[in-house]
Amino acid sequence: MTSAPTTPAAAPATPAAATPGSPTPTVTKLGGRIGAVIGDVKLGPDLDAAAVDAVRTALLQHKVVFFRGQHHLDEETHEGFAQLLGTPVAHPTVPAADGRYSLGIDSDHGARANQWHTDVTFVPAYPAFSILRAVTIPPYGGDTLWANTATAYENLPEPLRTLADGLRAAHTNEYDYAALKPGAAPELLAQYRDVFTSTVYRTEHPVVRVHPETGERTLLLGNFVQRIAGLTGRDSRALLDLFQAHVELPENTVRWQWQPGDVAIWDNRATQHYGVDDSDAHDRKLRRVTVDGDVPVGVDGAQSRLLEPATVPDPPFGLPSGASAPAAA
């Protein structure tokens, strides 16, 4: 795949609403379909309501937004800011770095997610938003790419949109890790088996979900997809590859070159992302807090459904995914 250029040329900044007396946040587009940089905002639990509204509005419009120079954030204030966007939820199987909600994305623990995915789609109510904070950045490499799954759907040929509207697919956290990472050390393979798949989840989602806030239709795919319901393995893989290729088109993507103190927030219901594993043995440490989502609804109005286990068990900390979100209509 040919990726979008690193740090694309920025469009002119435009002001976003703020309360009188506070700096006016600016929103600078990075691409025509996805990505914007928000300036003049100091993230934290005390961010005023007008600035929070401006961030959320930009996030829904641009799908992923970036902030430079947020060095003041730590585990507590990172979580505190997340609470302004919704209810934080822990990863269903992986313990947090701080024992609460902050997930460690660390290169020395095998966290080089060089596969296109949407976070935690193997459970029904996967996160609405993900907030990723850069702690240690390698001297080169380690960028992250995001893709807009709404424009990917919108720009499908009409016959493919009609086909996708009627499909459902099973997502699972149990996949062939060794095949995807053939050079993985034995201890990383053991960590995958013992931690990431300590509980095996399978959830059936619509291939096209209706976004609960914007009403957009988005392609719900990525690395956790196991198979399209009702199809043979060969037919399923052919269709998955076809639709996924449209998600990964360079026009739908943005690439971010991290600096320490950067924060990225993305709408996890309308994006996929890919962490580029090209920083050799250099350390790369980030922290992620996710905000609870709701159960997806397809074009036909049918909800996603949990296939395995019978119920979502309690996570290592906090509420099970979806416990704080209202049921989809």
Side-chain angles (χ1 to χ4, degrees):
M1 183 196 78
T2 302
S3 62
T6 303
T7 55
T14 55
T19 54
S22 64
T24 301
T26 59
V27 180
T28 305
K29 289 185 67 170
L30 291 176
R33 295 185 182 179
I34 184 171
V37 176
I38 299 182
D40 295 323
V41 171
K42 183 178 180 181
L43 300 177
D46 56 350
L47 189 64
D48 66 77
V52 173
D53 287 344
V55 169
R56 191 183 191 98
T57 297
L59 179 55
L60 293 176
Q61 179 180 351
H62 300 291
K63 312 310 180 196
V64 58
V65 293
F66 304 99
F67 304 79
R68 296 285 196 191
Q70 306 294 312
H71 301 279
H72 59 281
L73 289 176
D74 56 17
E75 309 287 19
E76 183 178 353
T77 53
H78 186 170
E79 178 187 324
F81 169 72
Q83 291 173 348
L84 301 179
L85 295 178
T87 301
V89 283
H91 192 280
T93 60
V94 181
D98 65 346
R100 292 174 61 85
Y101 301 111
S102 181
L103 185 71
I105 312 293
D106 295 347
S107 58
D108 58 352
H109 288 94
R112 298 177 183 266
N114 55 331
Q115 306 128 39
W116 283 103
H117 66 287
T118 297
D119 286 334
V120 201
T121 59
F122 47 84
V123 300
Y126 59 88
F129 302 119
S130 293
I131 307 166
L132 189 61
R133 173 171 57 94
V135 179
T136 302
I137 297 304
Y140 55 82
D143 298 353
T144 304
L145 293 89
W146 282 264
N148 184 337
T149 59
T151 56
Y153 173 85
E154 180 184 347
N155 287 280
L156 286 173
E158 190 277 333
L160 290 183
R161 291 199 304 271
T162 300
L163 174 61
D165 287 346
L167 298 175
R168 297 178 71 86
H171 295 231
T172 182
N173 60 330
E174 186 176 43
Y175 55 89
D176 193 346
Y177 184 92
L180 287 170
K181 297 181 179 289
E187 58 268 23
L188 296 182
L189 292 172
Q191 181 191 41
Y192 167 76
R193 290 192 299 268
D194 297 342
V195 178
F196 193 76
T197 59
S198 55
T199 299
V200 173
Y201 293 89
R202 289 178 64 244
T203 294
E204 185 184 87
H205 290 297
V207 169
V208 179
R209 75 167 293 181
V210 180
H211 195 289
E213 294 188 68
T214 67
E216 295 171 302
R217 296 183 182 185
T218 68
L219 289 173
L220 176 42
L221 297 168
N223 183 60
F224 295 122
V225 176
Q226 184 179 50
R227 180 176 290 189
I228 294 178
L231 298 183
T232 65
R234 175 182 291 183
D235 289 343
S236 172
R237 178 46 52 193
L239 281 182
L240 290 172
D241 288 345
L242 173 64
F243 289 124
Q244 184 65 30
H246 283 270
V247 173
E248 298 173 23
L249 285 173
E251 292 84 354
N252 290 324
T253 67
V254 66
R255 181 169 182 150
W256 186 251
Q257 188 173 39
W258 292 99
Q259 297 176 12
D262 284 358
V263 171
I265 310 175
W266 61 95
D267 186 340
N268 197 53
R269 302 158 297 183
T271 57
Q272 291 182 25
H273 57 282
Y274 182 112
V276 182
D277 185 7
D278 64 347
S279 51
D280 297 328
H282 294 287
D283 284 344
R284 179 180 183 270
K285 297 183 185 297
L286 303 100
R287 294 291 180 265
R288 188 186 82 196
V289 176
T290 55
V291 173
D292 205 9
D294 56 357
V295 178
V297 175
V299 175
D300 61 358
Q303 290 184 311
S304 302
R305 61 191 185 99
L306 183 66
L307 302 176
E308 180 185 356
T311 59
V312 176
D314 290 340
F317 182 84
L319 298 171
S321 176
S324 70

